[in-house]
Structure formats: C-alpha cells, structure tokens
Amino acid sequence: MPSPRVAAPVPGPLPTVPLKLPRKAPVFVDETHTQLVRRARKMHKVLTETYPDAHCELDFTTPLELLVATILSAQTTDVLVNKVTPGLFAKYPNAQAYAEADREELEAILKPTGFFRAKTNSVMKLGQALVDDYDGVVPNKLTELVKLPGTGRKTANVVLGNAFGIPGITVDTHFGRLVRRFGWTTEQDPVKVEHIIGELFPKKDWTMLSHRLIFHGRRRCHAKKPACGACPVAQWCPSYGTGPTNPEAAAKLVKVPA
C-alpha cells in the first residue's frame, strides 16, 4: 500500500508570542563570533516557539515525489504545486514513468506551475537519469543528488532533510533575505550562506532552522514590507524598522497561508 501523503496541516492563527519591541534597530557592529552565535541561537529559539508547526509545505509521500515537487516549485508557490502534484504523482508513480512520459501530456499537467517546458524537460531527464544510474531510486547523498537534472544544492537539501532525515540548510530567497536582515551574514552567494549559517548552529538543527526562517519570511519578514512591529525577534534584529514598527499596522501585514 502507498504511504499516506505528507501534507500541511490546516492553517490556523499564528501563535501569540510576547513582543519586546526596541525603540530603534539594535546595533551589533562590534559583535564577536561568540556573541553572534548566542544571538542567532536565541533568535532561533524564539522562532521555534513562534512556529511550532514549521514544516516542509510541499505535499509528498516518497523522496521522488518531494524531489519532483521541489523542482516544480521554482518561480511559483508551494500552494500551486500542491494543486498539481496529486494528479501528476498518480499518473507518473516512478522514475521510469517520467522517463517514458509523453512530453505534450506532461507539459499540459505542469503548465500551471509556469516555465512548464523547462520543468517538463528537467523532470523527464531526471527520470531517465535515475533509471540509468540509480535503478530508479533517489540517492540519499548530496554529492549524488546535485548531479541529477534540475537539482541544485537547495533542492538536494530539501530532499535530504525532509525525505531522508539527513540535516541540510535550504537557502531559498526567504532564508537568504532573513539571514542578511538578521545580520548573521552579509554574503549573497547561496553556497557560502549555507556554510556560514551552518557554523552557527548544531547540525541537528539545520533542517528545522530552514523551515522556521522560511515560515517567518512568508508570514512576517516580507521582502518589501516586513511586519517589524509584530516580530518576535525584533529586539535582536539590526534591520528592525525596515517595515512598520507600530504593532497595529504591522499586525495587518502578518499572513496566514491559505
């Protein structure tokens, strides 16, 4: 029997957390590495309390399903991908099915995700590579995953952390934005960010750290207008004030995904 699909729980109101809002953005210019580690871990502790249900928001039952869903999530939302994948996974249950897929049929299914021709190409090549090199089974090593079509380090770490339980840091746009706003790093390169942030936290925390920062980025710390006045880690954030600091105005910016 197939495994039950791993799906996001029905969203509810975000937990209420006590806020201690500074008058202005705190400054950490002379912060030592040890002080940075302590501040980063304190922020993570508070985010853990704020988002107790943080998780991968892509629905899947197998490593292959998660790998394909993550590839499809580029330049679109997890919500949209989750609408497409039930039919997709039913029609293409294994790597061989993707390798032998009719291109036009697969493109029609993937069209709602955007860039569907490129994604169709990646998924078909992925299926063929898995059949040719791994007997149709998704490997559980980073060095092998990144060799697969359409699979970079970000995608590989999503699969390792959520399908195999192997800790990994997922540097997506939310994660990168937040670690720079938090003053944990100024680095822009995703691979360098992954290694720098990995040194601040125990390896066992990497996967959930990624989920919590992504949750925070989607719900409060938005790219254009972050909800600074509704942020539970504001007192440790050097970017406090980038968005509205008035609690009532900020609360209106907090999002609960549908």
Side-chain angles (χ1 to χ4, degrees), residues 5-257:
R5 188 168 304 282
V6 179
V10 177
L14 295 177
T16 301
V17 292
L19 299 180
K20 184 177 180 181
L21 301 177
R23 293 183 178 179
K24 59 182 180 179
V27 179
F28 303 99
V29 175
D30 298 321
E31 187 176 45
T32 66
H33 181 72
T34 298
Q35 290 171 330
L36 170 59
V37 169
R38 289 173 179 169
R39 179 168 67 88
R41 293 186 182 185
K42 177 61 178 177
M43 294 174 80
H44 180 224
K45 180 177 183 294
V46 174
L47 291 176
T48 299
E49 296 166 353
T50 306
Y51 306 107
D53 63 340
H55 59 276
C56 176
E57 295 186 278
L58 290 168
D59 297 344
F60 69 97
T61 64
T62 67
L64 177 61
E65 289 185 356
L66 180 56
L67 178 53
V68 170
T70 307
I71 291 173
L72 299 183
S73 70
Q75 303 300 314
T76 190
T77 66
D78 290 355
V79 172
L80 195 153
V81 172
N82 289 339
K83 292 179 180 179
V84 170
T85 50
L88 177 72
F89 295 158
K91 187 173 180 63
Y92 305 98
N94 52 49
Q96 186 75 43
Y98 286 114
E100 298 175 348
D102 178 275
R103 181 175 293 274
E104 290 186 0
E105 290 183 358
L106 186 53
E107 284 184 351
I109 295 173
L110 301 187
K111 189 171 183 178
T113 69
F115 302 95
F116 63 94
R117 292 189 179 88
K119 291 178 181 180
T120 296
N121 195 49
S122 292
V123 170
M124 292 181 68
K125 287 185 175 180
L126 169 67
Q128 192 63 60
L130 289 173
V131 170
D132 291 344
D133 301 329
Y134 301 99
D135 295 322
V137 178
V138 176
N140 63 354
K141 294 183 179 180
L142 180 65
T143 53
E144 299 299 322
L145 282 167
V146 295
K147 295 177 183 177
L148 296 172
T151 309
R153 288 184 69 93
K154 183 190 80 170
T155 297
N157 278 323
V158 169
V159 174
L160 288 174
N162 297 283
F164 293 112
I166 298 172
I169 291 178
T170 303
V171 185
D172 72 348
T173 55
H174 298 291
F175 189 97
R177 178 176 74 253
L178 265 63
V179 296
R180 286 185 286 273
R181 278 185 176 169
F182 289 171
W184 294 357
T185 182
T186 58
E187 185 58 62
Q188 296 284 335
D189 179 77
V191 177
K192 291 181 180 178
V193 169
E194 179 186 334
H195 291 303
I196 291 170
I197 303 306
E199 292 177 354
L200 301 179
F201 296 90
K203 189 172 183 178
K204 64 180 179 63
D205 292 341
W206 288 357
T207 299
M208 290 307 302
L209 170 72
S210 301
H211 290 322
R212 288 161 188 148
L213 262 66
I214 291 170
F215 260 51
H216 191 58
R218 288 175 173 168
R219 289 152 177 76
R220 285 185 170 91
C221 198
H222 314 301
K224 294 183 178 179
K225 202 172 184 181
C228 291
C231 179
V233 295
Q235 63 181 301
W236 303 284
C237 182
S239 299
Y240 176 73
T242 302
T245 58
N246 177 275
E248 291 184 2
K252 295 178 182 179
L253 300 174
V254 177
K255 296 180 180 179
V256 178

